[in-house]
Amino acid sequence: MPDSPASTRTPPLSRSQLVLFGLPEFAVYLAVIPVSLYLPFFYSRDLGLDITDIGLLLMLARISDVVTDPLIGALSDRTRSRLGRRRPWMLAGTPLMMLAAYQLFAPSGAVTNGYLLTWSVLLWLGWTMINIPYYAWGAELSDDFDERTRITGWRQAFGFAGNISVLLVPVTAAKLFDYGGVASEALVIIGAMALILLPVLIGTTVWRLPERSVVRAAPQPALRHLRHMLRNGSFLVLFAGFTLMSLGTTMIGTLFMLFTTFAMDLERQAQPILLAYFAVNIVGLPFWVWLSHRIGKREAWMVGTGVMALTTPAYLLLEPGQILPFVLITAVIGFAGGNFMALSMSMKADVIELASRRSRDHVAGAYMAVWSLGSKTTQALAVGLSLPLLGFFGFDPRAENSPAEIDALRYTISLLPPALYLAAMIIIVRYPIGRRRLERLRGAYQRRDARRERDAASEAGGLPGQKLEGAS
């Protein structure tokens, strides 16, 4: 992709460029999805750690990014190198994430609370060094309203493919080699995949896809960016809606293996059922991108969220062993959930463009850092609240559970997430940025910057002024 100033309208990315940009998402999903999907189940039932301790430790590991997320975002905005601003950080975070993922998924020696906490903190530090610059890079690839949805849709498709691989490869290995059918074996396979694919896929993207060069004004202090964010109503509305949705979806992911094993008595079918869930995620993604073009991003987001809120409580109707209705309910939730990440990220890119034009500074990294921090905090709360809640009601994966303790698991996974989805819808209905508003504000900022250029040239005695970011 040829470099171009951020102020000029860029042509749509080619399919090969979209593939290149999506590759890191596949690799990163391999390393992070098992943390909520497998680790609570594996470290409690198989390794013997207390489920309440696991929830609190995983929450603490995510909250440790309170410092690292804003720091990495601000530093990547200010980085100068031959590789650009974003790509050096992605390369630096890759080996750290590789090592931490393998140590978590294939632990050796004595496994204690300290072991789980240490490697979880290092995993999320590596994730921060990769994903905050990576998502900031994505927000800068295009100024076009619909092209951003296309970019985030492709990236999310690679993420969904990573989700499927987390399940498909162990399921296939179990069928062919009788290894991979349970969580402990699946994690060893996934850890080996992460060791190989993280450097290969991230390295390929960094090598083959240039960053978009941007003409920028002098950097503004990071605290000034934070003050701007706190006054940015569009960002705050979107941020609140996204974090509530993330809290709900992460709760389901955290509890799914426990629910399938103890409430549904379908442990051996858990991975194939999840495989179906992520498959319909991918199948549904083009529909949600299409629908967002027809009715708007906010409206399409609310439709998908509403379907999830109405469908999830149906888990309460299931009896142990009822695999077909379980699969159908999960598939509907998966299809509806295909819109969540892609549309949220596209809407966030719109917000970041307007913030960048308003401040005439690079703010993508700072916004991504705050977004990531909020996302991690809510996901930490999902683990840190749901698992101790089960422990409070007496549920213990290491012991025989009573019907009341199983019911606590059933009600937690069936009712808490839909309540969060409905709260997110109430908030997101206030999100104000649509296609027309974005184009109107973009034009206003371009006229402002053109006027300032003319004024600066006039004051300099007619010499051409330096082109400012956001001018056309």
Side-chain angles (χ1 to χ4, degrees), residues 36-121:
S36 61
L37 189 61
Y38 287 120
L39 255 58
F41 182 86
F42 174 54
Y43 274 74
S44 61
R45 196 188 71 167
D46 294 349
L47 299 182
L49 299 188
D50 182 76
I51 192 168
T52 298
D53 290 345
I54 293 171
L56 295 175
L57 291 169
L58 292 178
M59 179 176 69
L60 185 60
R62 299 302 297 264
I63 294 176
S64 69
D65 294 318
V66 166
V67 174
T68 58
D69 278 20
L71 179 63
I72 298 300
L75 290 175
S76 74
D77 279 341
R78 288 159 172 75
T79 296
R80 298 284 191 277
S81 77
R82 293 177 59 187
L83 288 175
R85 289 175 292 142
R86 313 303 182 187
R87 292 179 292 174
W89 289 97
M90 295 173 64
L91 289 177
T94 298
L96 180 59
M97 194 171 191
M98 290 165 52
L99 178 61
Y102 189 79
Q103 291 293 331
L104 280 174
F105 301 162
S108 57
V111 177
T112 63
N113 286 351
Y115 181 97
L116 176 60
L117 178 62
T118 298
W119 289 112
S120 296
V121 168

Side-chain angles (χ1 to χ4, degrees), residues 304-319:
T305 304
V307 172
M308 294 174 70
L310 293 173
T311 306
T312 305
Y315 280 145
L316 285 175
L317 304 176
L318 297 174
E319 297 292 336

Side-chain angles (χ1 to χ4, degrees), residues 1-279:
M1 181 178 66
D3 291 344
S4 59
S7 57
T8 61
R9 189 66 60 86
T10 54
L13 271 66
S14 68
R15 188 163 297 179
S16 62
Q17 290 170 331
L18 290 167
V19 169
L20 282 171
F21 185 68
L23 291 178
E25 190 82 340
F26 180 94
V28 168
Y29 265 63
L30 283 179
V32 300
I33 290 300
V35 173
S36 61
L37 189 61
Y38 287 120
L39 255 58
F41 182 86
F42 174 54
Y43 274 74
S44 61
R45 196 188 71 167
D46 294 349
L47 299 182
L49 299 188
D50 182 76
I51 192 168
T52 298
D53 290 345
I54 293 171
L56 295 175
L57 291 169
L58 292 178
M59 179 176 69
L60 185 60
R62 299 302 297 264
I63 294 176
S64 69
D65 294 318
V66 166
V67 174
T68 58
D69 278 20
L71 179 63
I72 298 300
L75 290 175
S76 74
D77 279 341
R78 288 159 172 75
T79 296
R80 298 284 191 277
S81 77
R82 293 177 59 187
L83 288 175
R85 289 175 292 142
R86 313 303 182 187
R87 292 179 292 174
W89 289 97
M90 295 173 64
L91 289 177
T94 298
L96 180 59
M97 194 171 191
M98 290 165 52
L99 178 61
Y102 189 79
Q103 291 293 331
L104 280 174
F105 301 162
S108 57
V111 177
T112 63
N113 286 351
Y115 181 97
L116 176 60
L117 178 62
T118 298
W119 289 112
S120 296
V121 168
L122 292 176
L123 177 80
W124 293 119
L125 176 58
W127 185 96
T128 295
M129 294 173 68
I130 294 170
N131 253 42
I132 288 179
Y134 175 52
Y135 277 40
W137 184 7
E140 296 166 340
L141 283 174
S142 177
D143 294 329
D144 184 75
F145 184 81
D146 289 326
E147 177 69 4
R148 285 179 176 149
T149 303
R150 180 170 173 256
I151 292 169
T152 56
W154 272 80
R155 182 177 64 201
Q156 193 60 37
F158 276 88
F160 289 155
N163 285 343
I164 287 181
S165 298
V166 164
L167 299 160
L168 180 60
V169 174
V171 167
T172 303
K175 293 291 186 184
L176 296 178
F177 309 109
D178 197 28
Y179 184 88
V182 295
S184 58
E185 297 169 350
L187 281 169
V188 172
I189 295 172
I190 296 164
M193 292 171 62
L195 277 177
I196 297 170
L197 292 178
L198 275 166
V200 171
L201 298 185
I202 292 176
T204 299
T205 296
V206 168
W207 173 43
R208 297 296 304 274
L209 187 65
E211 291 185 30
R212 184 182 175 198
S213 63
V214 180
V215 180
R216 59 178 282 168
Q220 301 295 326
L223 287 178
R224 182 175 178 181
H225 290 162
L226 180 59
R227 289 195 297 270
H228 288 167
M229 287 182 220
L230 294 176
R231 293 197 297 265
N232 189 334
S234 299
F235 176 75
L236 294 177
V237 167
L238 183 62
F239 180 77
F242 175 86
T243 50
L244 286 171
M245 278 292 295
S246 182
L247 184 58
T249 56
T250 307
M251 277 189 175
I252 289 185
T254 300
L255 300 175
F256 191 87
M257 288 291 293
L258 295 170
F259 178 75
T260 305
T261 300
F262 294 97
M264 295 301 301
D265 196 23
L266 294 169
E267 180 181 358
R268 283 282 175 179
Q269 286 74 40
Q271 291 184 103
I273 293 170
L274 279 170
L275 186 59
Y277 169 86
F278 288 121

